[in-house]
Amino acid sequence: MSAQAKVPLFRLLPEELEPVMAEFGQPRYRADQVLRAAWHDSPASFEDIRQLPAGLRARLADRFSLDAAIEVRRAVSDDGGTTKLLLRMNDGTLIETVLMQYPEPGDRHPRSTVCVSTQAGCAMGCVFCATGQMGFERNLKAEEIVTQVLHIARLLRERGEHVTNVVFMGMGEPLANYAETIRAVRLLTHPKAFGLGQRHITISTVGLIHAIDRLAGEGLQIGLAISLHAPNDTLRQRLVPTAGPTSVGDLVSAAKRYFKKTGRRVTFEYALIAGQNDSEETARELARLLQGSGTHVNLIPVNPTAGGYGRPPRRTVLAFERVLRGAGINCTVRVEKGSEISAACGQLRTDESNRFVNDSGISLSPVAPRHGSRQETLSPTPSQTR
Ligand code: SAH
Ligand code: SF4
């Protein structure tokens, strides 16, 4: 069998691997053994899974691949709390994955949140987002999404830590790559695969209504964040040009339906952009829109990008927050992390990594824009919202 025809093992749900073991004439428990080793021991090849009989190792190697992402570059923030990786997929596609760590009280392991990409580039074109400005390259396969988590899991395991949360807030629009995103969620949460609790996963979407309703019906207990950014349609369409006929009212209704169906409160993400959507009057309008919706607002002071969208001064951010809180809206300001390494989910292949990429002769298509500033801060910490 040619290498291309091999099925990536990390794409398979346990119930899809079990029949293969039967076909190979193996007892049931072999599937569990294979999965446990593959998902938790980072074997470089099937040959490395020594607890399996040699014949089975060879048959597995013939049928399946165990491809891992290649780490092209790593940047760690000064405080060590944020690690940004540039990862190369099999076909050369480059994506970014970020690890954010937060100390826990006492001797407990830090909370370790992995921010994964679901697409290379993005078609949604949000004006303040570096990924959006890149345009769409391609969807990632489920195995390419989970491989990002596996890569970080291995890195953490080497220091006795583990992945505690996964957020789909990296490059791309997860719900525009629906089937692969859901498969990735099922792989990450299956007790016989990666085994993360569903409540430790959050998907962030620009607001694809049909997909949100579909997600609500998946029977999953995952968190949902909707990127709102504006309290009215005129302003939102300026910031999210592909919003089309989806109104802010539609988004609030979808959030309510999601809560009703899943019991999980939705977070609205609101990137605060200087002079665009950061006035106290806009905050009051937002408060009116969200009144009684039972949602949470996460304010994200924007990371400056080439488009010239800047971050409001701290006092403006606090004033915005005060208006929302005063109106009884549940609200947090996202903690900024990793500024000196331009760590940012949703802002990918940064200035620095582009230069590296170009130097190493790997072509990016389309070429990502360079960010205006090396002092970017984004702070993707959805965990702050829980
Ligand atoms: N496509 C999805 C998920 C990826 S973007 C979505 O839009 O929700 C994850 C979050 O990062 C979104 O809330 C997005 O608006 C935000 N984001 C993108 N660019 C940003 C920037 N320059 N500064 C701050 N937040 C940004
Ligand atoms: Fe795509 Fe999200 Fe960036 Fe918008 S903010 S362009 S939806 S990745």
Side-chain angles (χ1 to χ4, degrees), residues 231 279-289 291 320 323-324 327:
S279 71
E280 291 188 34
E281 195 190 324
T282 309
R284 281 191 288 276
E285 198 182 347
L286 183 62
R288 282 195 297 277
L289 176 73
Q291 208 64 244
F320 199 96
V323 170
L324 291 180

Side-chain angles (χ1 to χ4, degrees), residues 102 169 204 225 267-270 298-301 314 317 332-337 345 378-385:
Y102 311 90
M169 295 194 178
S204 173
T267 293
F268 278 117
E269 291 163 287
Y270 192 103
N298 195 204
L299 298 173
I300 317 166
R314 187 81 192 148
V317 174
T332 41
V333 178
R334 200 172 273 188
V335 177
E336 293 157 22
K337 285 179 72 74
C345 295
L378 168 82
S379 41
T381 94
S383 40
Q384 299 289 323
T385 68

Side-chain angles (χ1 to χ4, degrees), residues 126 128 226-231 235-236 239-240 269-271 277 300:
C126 303
F128 54 87
I226 303 177
S227 297
L228 183 63
H229 309 314
L235 182 53
R236 188 161 195 272
L239 300 174
V240 184
E269 291 163 287
Y270 192 103
N277 63 357
I300 317 166

